[in-house]
């Protein structure tokens, strides 16, 4: 929200500099994002009257003007297309300073020019430079332009939180400023405009909860082509609103001043009556900006006998818009409930000032006051005869006022300071809160009624926040909190997420955090079997579904890094994935499951660039080794195994499912080249994803005494079929061996000369040891014979000579 500092000071003028005022508002919870001057620094610019315009003798696009500065006439060469006799414009005299540049007498195409006629851009007022800045015809010739336009002013840009909608109007900001500085506020005198005609236009409220109040007034014989006064144009411009005509300007002005959006209809275009109702899905309405919108079934709609004529609380319709030919108008100032407007404008790809205010909440008792203010201003500027104000209201549907108890002891407990009762009374009064002393269970305090413009006051803590804000956060005492702390027990039977993160970071990974909202097209490629949860009001089309796999966001992050010349990428993420049960008629919360996952994405070289290692691309076994290091942390790595599998997002032959005690707990593999090509990723990409719940369980470690007796190692080489895996070998050996087998290692794999092309040679190292005695050769030989026999019987293995 933007507003003029001078406009605010018309209501309340604290003895503060611009910078101090901005700091004060920010510390009061009304964050000032920026302060900028209304115009650039300049001097020597006066109001000039163009008396005569003649063609330039040597330039088609230039003219020679005779300009009066009040006490003398000057010759000025000008190229503006709107330069003509009879208008008044900013005139920079010789010697004037514009943007640190001193203006001198010049000769343009052989004709002397004594000064310059200025556009808005030359004065730093705006970027407009299509022509000269035209001033009102009654502007006093020779007066300083800076003083005439009151350009020694600043524009404040506020970033208000949604709960402070009461400060979206200048009166609300003035109330806050006066409160903080203990100053009285000079509110505008708004007196009822006496009706001079009896005309009314009927209004009916069918959408009772969405629009319980609709204030309307007929005004006839309005001169829409009248000139909006300069002071109003400037207030609007400094609030980033363009002046259009008196009717639109007055409604915008009242919105900025009182925070009440208004709308004007051409009375002669209205048919029968105005009916406020909920839309029917598929209805269409043409809006003021020329766009035609097809409506959903939950939108507040303004209609008349001809059909839809506007979106309630969002934008009016084109069919009943006020134009230059309009003479009789119908003014509207309604109250639309925040829930009926929230999100509606965004759902139709719109963002309007009215919707911004209504969805946060406006004063539901101020519509009549706003109507009287708008009527008085409009008649003053454009004339007309006003009919009576008609307040169509459903009292039982209006929000009502909240009553909240406020206890003295609670203030002291939460703020750490005792504020005198008189000060609390004064703060509540200046905030506009009705209050009376009360006792609550023997505790002294106040019963406070929130005013109709404060939608955010519901509980005692809200009132205490107001008191602390007014008292000044910087004035509250700073104390070191005292508390008795005890160390929380860490269960030994659980592997913590922090330990898993540390392990991955130690292996060169970096943690990423991505959105749970993802691109439906990419997710369909990665996980076509799952039906994602669609968002009713997505931030954008490429963030319209909840993720069913963490790979969707991680691949986006990988692409982002690759596009910025990062070739070696290792990212991991822990987060939730979301699934909905299939074939459900409606989406219910209980039909959605969320599961915590650990996922990663890797591409690039095995090692970071260095002098000792040659460049080697990562492969399947690098990622497998990273996961095995995590499995080791569980204390039971043997319970995990990798099995070949098919996955829609992974390449056949380089993908595996991860099992723990026979349960599928995750996937690992190379990104399918088809998807890689679609995403325009050059290097090979490996992915993994695991269920966190399957990593948490961890057996409690137990200590055993080291054996004092020697180990004995035997090495064998067995020839097996290509399909036999190392895991198959391990299971077979461990099932055949007794307790003396302490370690089993696969230390060589050979395929080539001397070995059948359909078979391979695996070299195994077996270590035996007994805890209480030395093993004999006979015992070890017997164990080896059993193991070899089991390998032959179960896996068709043969010893390699």
């Amino acid at each position: 929200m933007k507003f003029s500092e001078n406009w605010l000071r018309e209501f309340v003028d604290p003895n503060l500099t611009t910078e101090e005022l901005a700091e004060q508002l920010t510390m009061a919870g009304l964050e000032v994002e920026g302060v900028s001057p209304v115009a650039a620094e300049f001097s020597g610019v006066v109001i000039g009257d163009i008396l005569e315009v003649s063609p330039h003798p040597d330039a088609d696009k230039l003219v020679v003007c005779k300009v009066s500065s009040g006490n003398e006439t000057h010759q000025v060469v000008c190229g503006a297309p709107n330069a003509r006799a009879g208008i008044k414009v900013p005139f920079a005299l010789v010697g004037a300073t514009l943007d640190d540049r001193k203006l001198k007498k010049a000769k343009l195409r052989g004709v002397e020019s004594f000064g310059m006629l200025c556009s808005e851009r030359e004065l730093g007022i705006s970027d407009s430079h299509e022509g000269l800045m035209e001033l009102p015809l009654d502007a006093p010739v020779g007066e300083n332009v800076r003083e005439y336009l009151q350009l020694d002013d600043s524009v404040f840009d506020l970033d208000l939180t949604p709960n402070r909608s009461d400060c979206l109007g200048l009166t609300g900001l003035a109330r806050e400023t006066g409160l903080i500085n203990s100053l009285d506020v000079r509110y505008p005198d708004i007196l009822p405009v006496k009706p001079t005609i009896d005309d009314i236009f009927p209004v009916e409220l069918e959408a009772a909860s969405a629009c319980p109040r609709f204030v309307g007034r007929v005004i006839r014989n309005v001169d829409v082509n009248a000139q909006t006064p300069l002071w109003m144009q400037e207030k609007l411009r400094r609030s980033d609103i363009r002046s259009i005509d008196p009717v639109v300007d007055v409604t915008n002005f009242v919105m900025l001043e009182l925070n009440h959006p208004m709308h004007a209809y051409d009375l002669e275009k209205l048919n029968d009556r105005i009916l406020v109702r909920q839309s029917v899905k598929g209805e269409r309405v043409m809006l003021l900006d020329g766009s035609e919108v097809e409506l959903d079934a939950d939108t507040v709609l303004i209609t008349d006998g001809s059909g839809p004529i506007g979106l309630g609380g969002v934008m009016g319709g084109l069919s009943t818009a006020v134009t230059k030919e309009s003479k009789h108008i119908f003014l509207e100032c309604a109250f639309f409930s925040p829930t009926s407007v929230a999100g509606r404008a965004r759902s139709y790809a719109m963002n309007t000032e009215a919707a911004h205010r209504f969805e946060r909440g406006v004063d539901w008792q101020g519509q009549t006051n706003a109507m009287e203010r708008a009527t008085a201003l409009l008649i003053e500027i454009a004339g007309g005869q006003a009919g009576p104000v008609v307040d169509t209201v459903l009292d039982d549907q209006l929000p009502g006022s909240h009553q909240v108890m406020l206890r003295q002891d609670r203030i002291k407990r939460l703020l750490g300071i005792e504020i005198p009762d008189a000060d609390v009374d004064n703060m509540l009064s200046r905030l506009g809160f009705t209050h009376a002393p009360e006792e609550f269970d023997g505790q002294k305090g106040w019963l406070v009624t929130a005013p109709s413009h404060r939608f955010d006051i519901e509980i005692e803590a809200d009132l205490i926040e107001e008191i602390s804000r007014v008292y000044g956060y910087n004035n509250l005492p700073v104390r070191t909190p005292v508390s008795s702390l005890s160390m929380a027990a860490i269960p030994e039977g659980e592997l913590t997420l922090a330990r898993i993160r540390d392990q991955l970071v130690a292996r060169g990974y970096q943690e990423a955090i991505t959105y749970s909202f993802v691109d439906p097209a990419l997710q369909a490629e990665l996980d076509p079997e799952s039906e994602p949860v669609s968002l009713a009001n997505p931030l954008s089309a490429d963030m319209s579904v909840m993720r069913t796999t963490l790979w969707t966001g991680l691949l986006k992050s990988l692409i982002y890094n690759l596009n910025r010349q990062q070739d070696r990428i290792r990212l991991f993420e822990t987060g939730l994935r979301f699934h909905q049960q299939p074939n459900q008629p409606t989406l219910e919360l209980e039909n959605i499951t969320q599961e915590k996952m650990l996922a990663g994405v890797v591409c690039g070289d095995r090692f970071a660039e260095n002098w000792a290692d040659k460049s080697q691309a990562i492969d399947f076994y690098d990622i497998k080794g990273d996961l095995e290091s995590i499995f080791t942390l569980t204390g039971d790595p043997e319970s995990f195994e990798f099995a070949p599998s098919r996955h829609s997002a992974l390449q056949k032959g380089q993908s595996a499912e991860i099992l723990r005690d026979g349960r599928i707990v995750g996937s690992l593999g190379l990104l399918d080249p088809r998807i890689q090509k679609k995403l325009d990723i050059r290097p090979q990409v490996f992915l993994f994803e695991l269920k966190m719940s399957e990593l948490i369980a961890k057996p409690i470690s137990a200590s055993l005494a080291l054996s004092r007796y020697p180990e004995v190692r035997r090495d064998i080489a067995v020839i097996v079929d290509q399909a036999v895996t190392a895991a198959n070998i391990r299971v077979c050996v461990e099932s055949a061996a007794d307790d003396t087998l302490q370690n089993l290692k696969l230390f060589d794999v050979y395929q080539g000369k001397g070995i059948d092309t359909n078979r391979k040679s695996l070299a195994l190292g077996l270590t035996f040891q007994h805890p209480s005695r030395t093993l004999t050769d006979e015992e070890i030989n017997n164990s080896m014979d059993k193991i070899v026999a089991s390998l032959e019987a179960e896996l068709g293995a043969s010893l390699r000579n």
Side-chain angles (χ1 to χ4, degrees):
M1 172 190 173
K2 292 184 178 181
F3 67 93
S4 158
E5 179 185 357
N6 284 353
W7 193 4
L8 176 62
R9 290 186 184 272
E10 290 177 12
F11 293 94
V12 58
D13 190 8
N15 187 23
L16 299 171
T17 65
T18 300
E19 293 73 19
E20 289 170 342
L21 179 59
E23 174 67 17
Q24 187 183 75
L25 290 173
T26 298
M27 291 308 298
L30 311 176
E31 182 183 356
V32 178
E33 275 198 330
V35 179
S36 57
V38 167
E41 286 295 327
F42 63 84
S43 62
V45 181
V46 300
I47 297 174
D49 185 5
I50 301 180
L51 304 175
E52 180 184 325
V53 176
S54 58
H56 190 288
D58 294 321
D60 294 337
K61 294 186 178 180
L62 297 178
V63 293
V64 181
C65 304
K66 299 294 183 182
V67 182
S68 170
S69 63
N71 49 14
E72 60 179 305
T73 301
H74 309 261
Q75 177 175 286
V76 181
V77 178
C78 177
N82 63 332
R84 63 189 187 278
I87 64 171
K88 294 180 180 179
V89 296
F91 175 35
L93 301 167
V94 172
T97 303
L98 295 174
D99 195 21
D100 296 330
R101 178 170 55 93
K102 194 167 185 178
L103 197 63
K104 298 179 181 180
K105 181 177 68 172
K107 183 176 285 189
L108 300 176
R109 291 289 185 94
V111 178
E112 288 188 315
S113 180
F114 300 89
M116 182 173 72
L117 304 180
C118 302
S119 69
E120 291 184 3
R121 187 168 73 172
E122 272 120 20
L123 301 181
I125 292 175
S126 74
D127 291 331
S128 174
H129 62 287
E130 289 79 13
L132 301 177
M133 180 181 181
E134 297 189 29
L135 301 174
L137 296 178
D138 60 354
V141 178
E143 184 171 332
N144 187 297
V145 166
R146 180 171 286 277
E147 293 176 2
Y148 176 72
L149 295 177
Q150 298 182 8
L151 296 180
D152 291 323
D153 187 13
S154 297
V155 173
F156 281 51
D157 189 358
L158 286 189
D159 184 16
L160 295 174
T161 52
N163 64 312
R164 293 312 309 271
S165 60
D166 58 300
C167 291
L168 287 169
L170 264 293
T171 52
L173 281 171
R175 182 171 49 243
E176 289 292 309
T177 307
L179 168 69
I180 300 165
N181 294 281
S182 299
L183 296 173
D184 293 331
V185 179
R186 298 182 294 274
Y187 294 108
D189 292 328
I190 302 177
L191 301 175
V193 176
K194 187 176 180 180
T196 56
I197 58 175
D198 297 327
D199 297 12
I200 63 171
F201 194 81
V203 175
E204 184 178 334
L205 305 179
E206 185 179 290
S209 61
C211 179
R213 167 165 274 157
F214 191 109
V215 176
R217 186 172 217 169
V218 171
I219 304 179
R220 290 193 177 275
N221 300 315
V222 174
D223 181 7
V224 177
N225 298 304
Q227 182 70 32
T228 301
L230 181 66
W231 63 266
M232 182 177 287
Q233 291 185 41
E234 281 297 299
K235 283 181 168 66
L236 293 174
R237 183 183 65 78
R238 295 173 199 189
S239 300
D240 237 7
I241 294 179
R242 181 172 58 91
S243 174
I244 297 175
D245 61 54
V247 177
V248 176
D249 291 350
V250 164
T251 57
N252 283 333
F253 179 84
V254 172
M255 177 185 70
L256 293 172
E257 183 181 63
L258 303 180
N259 191 29
H260 280 291
M262 300 185 68
H263 183 63
Y265 303 87
D266 187 324
L267 181 64
E268 294 180 317
K269 296 177 183 177
L270 289 174
N271 189 342
D272 186 29
R273 58 168 182 163
I274 283 181
L275 173 65
V276 183
R277 61 173 174 83
Q278 295 287 353
S279 62
V280 177
K281 185 175 178 60
E283 284 187 286
R284 306 182 75 88
V285 58
M286 182 73 74
L287 299 176
L288 283 172
D289 62 358
S291 63
E292 186 177 21
V293 177
E294 183 174 335
L295 303 174
D296 297 325
D298 58 349
T299 303
V300 182
L301 196 59
I302 311 296
T303 68
D304 69 355
S306 64
I309 59 172
L311 295 183
V314 179
M315 187 182 290
L318 189 62
S319 63
T320 56
V322 173
T323 64
K324 290 182 179 180
E325 291 74 33
S326 299
K327 188 175 181 182
H328 311 303
I329 67 170
F330 179 69
L331 278 182
E332 164 211 317
C333 188
F335 171 74
F336 297 95
S337 66
T339 53
S340 70
V341 180
R344 299 303 187 277
R346 287 188 298 277
S347 69
Y348 297 121
M350 291 186 291
N351 182 21
T352 66
E353 288 284 350
H356 182 75
R357 286 165 165 77
F358 279 124
E359 66 184 4
R360 286 159 174 76
V362 302
D363 184 354
W364 49 273
Q365 290 185 336
Q367 283 71 31
T368 300
N369 200 44
M371 181 62 71
E372 297 289 4
R373 176 66 164 161
T375 303
L377 288 170
L378 186 58
I379 290 176
E380 178 185 339
I381 297 169
Q385 295 84 46
V389 174
V390 178
D391 185 4
T392 307
V393 60
L394 303 172
D395 291 316
D396 59 327
Q397 297 293 332
L398 291 172
S401 299
H402 291 290
Q403 285 194 323
V404 183
M405 65 177 183
L406 176 62
R407 295 165 290 181
Q408 292 172 325
D409 290 346
R410 190 70 174 169
I411 296 174
K412 183 178 179 181
R413 179 182 171 189
L414 289 184
L415 301 186
I417 189 172
E418 189 167 350
I419 301 177
D421 290 359
D423 291 348
V424 175
D425 278 325
N426 183 51
M427 292 177 192
L428 293 174
S429 296
R430 287 187 172 276
L431 282 164
F433 293 178
T434 305
H435 60 286
E438 287 280 351
E439 282 197 9
F440 309 96
D441 298 328
Q443 299 183 55
K444 291 184 177 180
W446 299 264
L447 184 63
V448 181
T449 302
S452 56
H453 61 263
R454 291 301 297 270
F455 281 75
D456 57 322
I457 305 299
E458 295 184 350
I459 60 176
E460 187 176 25
D462 296 331
L463 291 173
I464 295 175
E465 180 185 359
E466 290 296 298
I467 290 171
S468 64
R469 189 172 59 81
V470 175
Y471 187 81
Y473 295 127
N474 290 336
N475 298 325
L476 295 175
V478 179
R479 295 175 182 162
T480 304
V482 178
S483 177
S484 58
L485 302 176
S486 58
M487 294 185 67
I490 300 177
E492 293 185 59
E494 291 184 7
L495 176 61
T496 65
L497 177 57
R499 183 67 187 89
I500 295 173
R501 284 173 170 153
D502 289 344
Q503 179 67 13
L504 285 169
V505 169
R507 296 184 73 88
Y509 286 78
Q510 291 179 304
E511 185 172 11
I513 300 174
T514 65
Y515 285 108
S516 297
F517 313 141
V518 296
D519 184 352
L522 177 56
Q523 180 150 277
E525 293 284 351
L526 297 173
D527 189 13
E529 293 83 8
S530 299
E531 183 180 353
V533 178
S534 297
L535 300 179
N537 188 22
L539 296 173
S540 62
D542 60 353
M543 299 178 71
S544 59
V545 298
M546 304 291 284
R547 63 187 179 191
T548 60
T549 171
L550 274 60
W551 289 347
T552 318
L554 284 172
L555 281 172
K556 288 280 191 181
S557 295
L558 179 132
I559 294 169
Y560 182 90
N561 281 274
L562 286 174
N563 290 341
R564 283 152 184 81
Q565 299 177 323
Q566 301 300 310
D567 298 326
R568 186 174 183 270
I569 300 169
R570 281 164 168 72
L571 298 175
F572 78 93
E573 180 177 11
T574 59
L576 297 174
R577 69 177 182 183
F578 305 86
H579 285 99
Q580 62 171 316
Q581 297 177 12
N583 303 320
Q584 296 295 322
T586 58
L587 181 62
E588 303 290 344
L589 189 60
E590 54 268 22
N591 296 332
I592 300 174
T593 59
Q594 53 186 24
E595 190 172 23
K596 194 160 192 177
M597 306 295 290
L598 168 68
V601 58
V602 181
C603 75
D605 289 342
R606 177 173 294 137
F607 305 109
E609 186 177 11
N610 65 87
W611 62 270
D613 299 302
K614 293 182 179 180
S615 176
Q616 293 178 308
I618 58 163
D619 59 24
F620 180 92
Y621 295 99
D622 292 311
I623 316 305
K624 181 172 178 284
D626 292 336
L627 294 181
E628 286 174 336
S629 74
I630 295 175
F631 300 157
T632 302
L633 299 178
T634 68
D636 188 18
E638 291 80 11
S639 63
F640 291 89
E641 61 178 305
F642 297 85
S645 70
R646 293 289 299 274
H647 191 290
S648 55
L650 303 177
Q651 183 175 344
K652 181 182 178 182
Q654 292 215 47
S655 64
E657 60 186 13
I658 305 168
L659 300 95
R660 185 174 194 183
D661 296 328
R663 303 183 304 275
I664 298 176
V665 300
S667 301
L668 160 69
L670 176 66
L671 180 65
D672 191 301
R674 175 183 53 85
I675 301 175
Q676 181 180 344
K677 184 177 180 181
K678 279 188 177 181
L679 297 177
D680 196 22
I681 299 175
R682 181 176 51 80
Q684 288 189 324
V685 177
F686 289 89
L687 304 150
F688 67 84
E689 188 168 41
L690 292 161
K691 297 178 181 178
M692 281 296 301
S693 59
E694 295 290 349
L695 297 176
I696 298 301
K698 170 186 173 185
I700 298 175
S701 301
S703 61
L704 295 173
L706 292 174
S707 176
R708 295 179 296 168
Y709 299 92
E711 295 179 343
V712 178
R713 172 166 168 157
R714 295 287 178 88
D715 293 346
I716 61 171
V718 295
I719 298 174
V720 294
D721 289 339
Q722 290 276 12
V724 176
T725 65
N728 300 144
I729 297 286
R730 175 177 290 278
V731 170
C732 184
V733 170
E734 289 178 346
S735 63
D738 55 24
D739 293 340
T740 60
L741 179 64
Q742 300 297 312
N743 194 12
L744 172 62
K745 285 185 178 179
L746 171 66
F747 63 85
D748 185 49
V749 179
Y750 173 73
Q751 293 173 269
K753 187 177 179 180
I755 304 295
D756 190 303
T757 55
N758 295 320
R759 292 169 73 81
K760 60 186 174 183
S761 171
L762 303 179
L764 308 173
L766 298 90
T767 303
F768 298 88
Q769 186 182 40
H770 197 282
S772 59
R773 61 184 176 82
T774 301
L775 292 172
T776 65
D777 286 342
E778 184 179 356
E779 289 174 316
I780 295 171
N781 291 336
N782 287 336
S783 293
M784 291 298 296
D785 290 342
K786 290 179 181 178
I787 290 169
V788 171
S790 179
L791 289 170
E792 291 176 350
E794 294 185 21
L795 302 177
S798 60
L799 285 176
R800 181 182 174 194
N801 297 325

